[in-house]
């Protein structure tokens, strides 16, 4: 009987001690794309390409463990999502007898303040997360190369691109691995659900790999 009581007290103690909260920093880098199916359908894949761009985010994270295996995480991140497009434009000469093609490149860069909220389960030092993400658009830039016909083909110009919606939201899934006491490596994917532009279907997609470092931990 005494052994059972001791085991019960030990189990309750471990369960209570497993509950803790932590605060840290995270850095993630990877790839992203902003699909443009309208142009893809109009050109049937001929003369238009939508390619991956560089992406990433940096910021803080807060984790609350309910038990040894169950947790919730809230992040506050500064995020970049970019995408690259290539257009082949037909240029006719004065008498329309000759057609030349000029390649025009566009890079879209979107900057957000991002708040992902994720529920996670930990098993064998791996953490599996699923949650929602909301982002507030801070700035958008469109860089074009070869877009001006009265200037050289390698001429570059960057302008503010104000057509995007100010709010983006979607689903965030990820997998993380604890490698040291305070260091975690992770892979995450974001699938945007909000349409960014009124006249075409355009949604964010992002895949990043990153590292988190725990700055503070407190047992509850």
């Amino acid at each position: 009987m005494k052994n059972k009581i001791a085991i019960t007290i030990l189990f309750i103690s471990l369960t209570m001690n497993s509950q803790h909260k932590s605060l840290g920093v995270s850095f993630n880098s990877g790839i992203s794309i902003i699909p443009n199916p309208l142009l893809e359908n109009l050109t049937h894949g001929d003369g238009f390409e939508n390619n991956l761009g560089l992406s990433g985010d940096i910021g803080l994270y807060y984790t609350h463990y309910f038990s040894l295996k169950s947790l919730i995480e809230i992040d506050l991140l500064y995020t970049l999502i970019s995408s690259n497009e290539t257009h082949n434009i037909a240029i006719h000469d004065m008498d329309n007898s000759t057609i030349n093609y000029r390649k025009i490149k566009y890079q879209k860069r979107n900057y957000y303040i991002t708040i992902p909220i994720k529920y996670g389960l930990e098993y064998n030092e791996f953490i599996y997360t699923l949650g929602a993400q909301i982002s507030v658009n801070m700035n958008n830039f469109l860089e074009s190369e070869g877009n001006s016909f009265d200037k050289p083909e390698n001429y570059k110009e960057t302008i503010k691109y104000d057509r995007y919606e100010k709010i983006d939201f979607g689903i965030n899934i990820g997998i993380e691995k604890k490698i040291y006491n305070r260091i975690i490596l992770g892979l995450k994917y974001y699938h945007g659900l909000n349409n960014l532009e009124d006249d075409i279907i355009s949604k964010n997609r992002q895949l990043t790999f990153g590292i988190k470092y725990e700055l503070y931990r407190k047992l509850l």
Side-chain angles (χ1 to χ4, degrees):
M1 185 65 180
K2 291 182 179 179
N3 290 336
K4 290 183 178 180
I5 295 175
I7 292 173
T8 303
I9 293 174
L10 178 61
F11 175 77
I12 294 174
S13 177
L14 289 174
T15 303
M16 292 180 63
N17 288 335
S18 68
Q19 299 182 31
H20 67 270
K21 59 183 179 180
S22 62
L23 179 69
V25 295
S26 67
F27 173 79
N28 305 279
S29 63
I31 54 176
S32 60
I33 194 168
I34 308 170
N36 195 334
L38 176 63
L39 285 177
E40 291 173 2
N41 292 333
L42 287 176
T43 59
H44 302 284
D46 185 17
F48 171 78
E49 294 181 3
N50 195 358
N51 300 311
L52 298 171
L54 294 177
S55 182
D57 48 55
I58 186 171
L60 301 173
Y61 74 90
Y62 169 81
T63 303
H64 182 96
Y65 271 82
F66 301 107
S67 65
L68 282 171
K69 305 297 182 182
S70 177
L71 62 98
I72 188 169
E73 181 180 310
I74 302 174
D75 298 4
L76 179 62
L77 305 171
Y78 185 69
T79 301
L80 163 66
I81 292 180
S82 70
S83 188
N84 296 293
E85 296 179 3
T86 301
H87 303 251
N88 289 318
I89 305 299
I91 304 175
H92 300 261
D93 61 7
M94 296 298 293
D95 57 1
N96 288 327
S97 60
T98 303
I99 301 177
N100 296 312
Y101 287 91
R102 184 166 187 175
K103 182 178 290 187
I104 300 176
K105 298 179 180 179
Y106 294 97
Q107 183 187 72
K108 297 176 181 178
R109 298 194 300 270
N110 303 335
Y111 297 88
Y112 295 92
I113 297 296
T114 303
I115 303 177
I117 302 176
K118 300 168 286 185
Y119 176 76
L121 291 174
E122 183 175 337
Y123 180 74
N124 285 344
E125 301 297 319
F126 282 92
I127 303 172
Y128 306 91
T129 61
L130 173 64
Q133 176 174 310
I134 185 167
S135 304
V136 179
N137 191 288
M138 305 302 292
N139 279 304
N140 307 301
F141 295 97
L142 178 66
E143 181 180 287
S144 60
E145 179 179 341
N147 189 35
S148 180
F149 293 102
D150 60 346
K151 294 182 180 180
E153 289 191 23
N154 60 355
Y155 171 76
K156 292 184 179 181
E157 182 182 24
T158 301
I159 62 173
K160 280 199 170 185
Y161 192 69
D162 296 327
R163 294 180 58 185
Y164 284 139
E165 294 288 332
K166 292 300 181 183
I167 301 295
D168 185 35
F169 55 85
I171 299 172
N172 191 310
I173 61 175
I175 180 172
E176 299 177 341
K177 176 67 169 69
K178 292 183 174 180
I179 58 172
Y180 292 108
N181 185 35
R182 293 182 179 271
I183 298 178
I184 300 174
L185 298 181
L187 182 70
K188 65 178 182 177
Y189 171 71
Y190 171 67
H191 190 91
L193 299 176
N194 190 33
N195 193 29
L196 302 177
E197 301 187 60
D198 292 332
D199 52 347
I200 62 174
I201 299 174
S202 184
K203 300 178 181 181
N204 286 324
R205 306 286 187 261
Q206 182 190 36
L207 178 67
T208 58
F209 174 79
I211 185 170
K212 299 196 307 188
Y213 180 77
E214 186 180 273
L215 298 174
Y216 169 81
R217 179 187 299 178
K218 181 179 180 181
L219 297 177
L220 301 178

